[in-house]
Amino acid sequence: MPHASDWLLAPPIPGLGLGLQSDVFRTALKFRLSIPLFDAPFPCPALSSSEGNVCGAVMDLYGDHAACCHNGTSLVFRHNNVRDILGHSARAAGLAAVVIEKKNQIDGSLVKPGDITVQQYCRGFPTSAFDVTIAHPLQKKFLEIAMDRAGKVAEDAHRRKLEKSLEVCKLLISTLPLAWESTGGD
């Protein structure tokens, strides 16, 4: 596991979005070092994007709930940032990569096999679909599993992504799930 002091050796590169303001850096460092972010637990104030309902789950002292709260836009924002970085990297590597957000990529199916499509990537398939997912091991339903073995939650997310679209895609599109854990795993 990287030591917290390793973060201090990474230079900020604003052009790549790799700079943190001081208050954000302090919060990230406290989170990584398991130093409480808050004085006392409180109800999560995040609003759902569709209905406008308040989350209300307990925001713990360490801010773990914030990393996996389904209200607000942070989960979608994190997913889309990873998707866009991968799409940009694939194009920079000379691949015909397209970041796509539409359903109906396969005639007669509502399944969206991926976030990034690449032509002629896997032998035998005209199109490959990379499907980004970020699993959150701090969710209550995953805590016990995540404590048992690092990376287990990402493995389960990878399996679920394959099962979601494997049957409809197996002859037309090579589906390649890319799963990460929000805490990085070890």
Side-chain angles (χ1 to χ4, degrees):
M1 172 180 0
H3 191 270
S5 64
D6 293 342
W7 289 9
L8 302 176
L9 299 176
I13 305 171
L16 295 176
L18 298 178
L20 293 177
Q21 295 177 349
S22 295
D23 57 337
V24 175
F25 177 78
R26 282 191 299 273
T27 301
L29 193 57
K30 283 182 175 182
F31 184 81
R32 180 68 173 151
L33 297 174
S34 297
I35 296 172
L37 298 175
F38 308 110
D39 294 329
F42 60 92
C44 175
L47 297 174
S48 66
S49 55
S50 55
E51 296 90 33
N53 298 330
V54 173
C55 172
V58 174
M59 180 67 72
D60 57 285
L61 297 176
Y62 300 98
D64 291 346
H65 172 73
C68 56
C69 179
H70 287 277
N71 289 2
T73 58
S74 63
L75 296 182
V76 172
F77 181 77
R78 189 174 358 194
H79 170 275
N80 290 349
N81 276 336
V82 170
R83 177 204 63 201
D84 293 346
I85 289 167
L86 292 172
H88 177 75
S89 298
R91 286 189 297 277
L95 298 174
V98 176
V99 173
I100 194 162
E101 292 189 29
K102 66 178 186 174
K103 293 185 181 224
N104 303 322
Q105 292 178 27
I106 298 174
D107 290 337
S109 173
L110 296 177
V111 170
K112 184 182 87 142
D115 299 297
I116 303 165
T117 57
V118 178
Q119 302 303 312
Q120 304 299 318
Y121 183 77
C122 287
R123 188 176 306 237
F125 293 96
T127 304
S128 295
F130 292 87
D131 197 3
V132 174
T133 186
I134 301 173
H136 305 283
L138 298 175
Q139 293 180 73
K140 287 182 183 180
K141 64 183 177 182
F142 294 134
L143 280 177
E144 200 168 304
I145 294 169
M147 288 188 316
D148 183 45
R149 188 169 63 123
K152 177 68 173 147
V153 176
E155 287 175 18
D156 287 350
H158 181 270
R159 179 188 45 75
R160 283 192 309 277
K161 285 285 189 178
L162 276 178
E163 290 171 355
K164 175 191 87 170
S165 55
L166 190 59
E167 188 61 35
V168 72
C169 296
K170 69 180 176 184
L171 299 175
L172 303 170
I173 293 178
S174 169
T175 303
L176 306 158
L178 303 171
W180 286 272
E181 290 186 2
S182 60
T183 56
D186 284 333

